Amino acid sequence: MLFFNSKKYAEETEKKRGKNPDPRDHSLAMMFFLGILATFPPFRIFLKLRGKRVSDLAENQASGSDQVPIIYVHGFRGGDYTTRVMVEDALKQKGDARFLKVEADLTGRIKLTGCYTGDKQPIIQLAFKDRIAGYQAINYYLSFILPFLSKKYFFTRYSAVAHSLGSPCVVATEMRYAKRKNFPHLASCALIAGPFNGVMYLGDIPNVNRLTESGRPSMMTPHYSYMLRHRRNFSSSIRVLNIYGNVLDTTNSDRFISVVSAKSIRYILAPDAVYYQEVEVRGDNAEHSQMHDEPFVIGILNCFLGLDKIKKGL
């Protein structure tokens, strides 16, 4: 059947979610409605009517422009549970259990809890309260959360760890705001299971699209075309790690994102990047909603971010 299996995707993304959601969270219907408003820029004015509301319950240590925080970003229908294992392992590598959790909804409500630490690489976990957010809606989230954090904590560069739809959004956001001085810019990005050129049966049909010898996909979605046109806005100094999965079935995918879609970002970023590495995870552990918890993936991720050196005292 040529359609995205949203029910199955919802089951996979929800299976690790907490049993007791915040009663202040919006209903699924409201999340969907707000997601629609955020998708179309002319309608975003309705999301801004109440203004930005910040609840700051976090402990703040010394902060400065020399810091390069690591910001964890989830994707469609994700949440703090998506990046929890990666965050916990990063904290273990650092030997410090403190991190900043940033919860936000599409109406501009932001809640800060935990601690923004004073070391070189503070850990920041983003959790989008309105989780029914597509590509444009997640871009909208990043457009107001990132400059807010940059202004509050004075950092100008950051590293991103993004899963699923968060991956192309991190890349596209960097391209869109590349020339904005009041916007923080990427130092490095780790992209996990990214749908850069469509989701299976939503812009991408398994085993139909192909990569040429140069890595260029034969068919391109509008979002991929945008990134291709604006690739010069992605600084060559940004280090890139791209991790994708192949469960080794007939679809050549991680069950939701095809290998072709995940690898297509190489054609855009690799030619000019100071560092670009691809890692393919294979077998049952390569399933889309499993990879962010896989020790093998997390080990590569921590090495890329330099967290393994902290534990070794280097």
Side-chain angles (χ1 to χ4, degrees), residues 5 69 77-78 103 105 125 182 200 245 251 276 281 303 305 310:
N5 192 335
R77 291 195 78 120
E103 299 172 273
D105 65 25
Q125 182 191 47
N182 62 341
M200 282 172 58
T251 63
Y276 184 96
V281 183
C303 182
L305 295 170
I310 296 176

Side-chain angles (χ1 to χ4, degrees), residues 25-69:
D25 287 354
H26 295 138
S27 66
L28 287 177
M30 180 58 73
M31 287 185 196
F32 180 78
F33 175 69
L34 294 175
I36 292 296
L37 292 182
T39 297
F40 301 99
F43 295 153
R44 291 175 184 171
I45 188 173
F46 298 108
L47 297 173
K48 300 176 182 179
L49 290 178
R50 296 182 64 183
K52 188 181 297 179
R53 290 152 290 139
V54 178
S55 174
D56 189 352
L57 306 177
E59 175 189 349
N60 300 325
Q61 295 192 332
S63 56
S65 60
D66 61 330
Q67 291 180 302
V68 183

Side-chain angles (χ1 to χ4, degrees), residues 69-88 99-105 109-113 115-116 122-131 137-150 153 155 158-163 165-167 169-170 173 183-184 186:
I70 303 172
I71 302 180
Y72 290 78
V73 185
H74 65 78
F76 178 72
R77 291 195 78 120
D80 56 2
Y81 49 92
T82 303
T83 59
R84 181 179 297 135
V85 176
M86 293 188 291
V87 168
E88 289 175 350
F99 70 99
L100 180 70
K101 183 175 181 179
V102 181
E103 299 172 273
D105 65 25
R109 183 177 61 179
I110 299 175
K111 180 181 178 181
L112 307 176
T113 55
C115 177
Y116 185 84
I123 301 295
I124 301 177
Q125 182 191 47
L126 302 189
F128 305 140
K129 303 292 282 184
D130 294 319
R131 300 173 297 106
I138 293 178
N139 284 344
Y140 178 64
Y141 265 123
L142 296 177
S143 74
F144 70 82
I145 293 175
L146 291 176
F148 165 76
L149 293 174
S150 174
Y153 298 111
F155 65 86
Y158 72 101
S159 295
V161 177
H163 177 257
L165 194 57
S167 297
C169 291
V170 163
T173 295
F183 206 96
L186 285 172

Side-chain angles (χ1 to χ4, degrees), residues 83-272:
T83 59
R84 181 179 297 135
V85 176
M86 293 188 291
V87 168
E88 289 175 350
D89 202 274
L91 298 173
K92 187 182 301 182
Q93 297 291 325
K94 292 179 62 178
D96 188 342
R98 297 171 300 173
F99 70 99
L100 180 70
K101 183 175 181 179
V102 181
E103 299 172 273
D105 65 25
L106 288 170
T107 67
R109 183 177 61 179
I110 299 175
K111 180 181 178 181
L112 307 176
T113 55
C115 177
Y116 185 84
T117 57
D119 56 287
K120 180 68 175 179
Q121 293 177 288
I123 301 295
I124 301 177
Q125 182 191 47
L126 302 189
F128 305 140
K129 303 292 282 184
D130 294 319
R131 300 173 297 106
I132 312 300
Y135 174 82
Q136 294 292 359
I138 293 178
N139 284 344
Y140 178 64
Y141 265 123
L142 296 177
S143 74
F144 70 82
I145 293 175
L146 291 176
F148 165 76
L149 293 174
S150 174
K151 182 178 180 181
K152 182 173 180 62
Y153 298 111
F154 307 108
F155 65 86
T156 59
R157 299 165 66 242
Y158 72 101
S159 295
V161 177
H163 177 257
S164 191
L165 194 57
S167 297
C169 291
V170 163
V171 173
T173 295
E174 178 64 27
M175 292 176 175
R176 182 171 287 112
Y177 297 102
K179 298 179 181 179
R180 285 270 295 273
K181 293 183 178 180
N182 62 341
F183 206 96
H185 298 293
L186 285 172
S188 60
C189 57
L191 312 169
I192 304 171
F196 298 103
N197 197 24
V199 177
M200 282 172 58
Y201 307 121
L202 279 179
D204 184 33
I205 300 174
N207 302 314
V208 172
N209 204 357
R210 293 286 187 274
L211 299 178
T212 66
E213 289 186 7
S214 66
R216 182 185 178 98
S218 56
M219 294 182 290
M220 303 180 189
T221 64
H223 300 320
Y224 185 87
S225 296
Y226 172 87
M227 291 187 288
L228 181 59
R229 292 195 308 271
H230 294 85
R231 63 190 182 279
R232 300 303 178 197
N233 288 345
F234 197 87
S235 173
S236 61
S237 66
I238 301 171
R239 301 171 66 250
V240 181
L241 171 66
N242 184 27
I243 304 176
Y244 60 92
N246 187 346
V247 295
L248 301 177
D249 64 6
T250 58
T251 63
N252 291 306
S253 72
D254 64 10
R255 293 203 173 98
F256 295 101
I257 310 301
S258 73
V259 170
V260 169
S261 179
K263 289 186 66 172
S264 63
I265 194 62
R266 181 185 184 93
Y267 181 76
I268 294 176
L269 301 184
D272 297 320

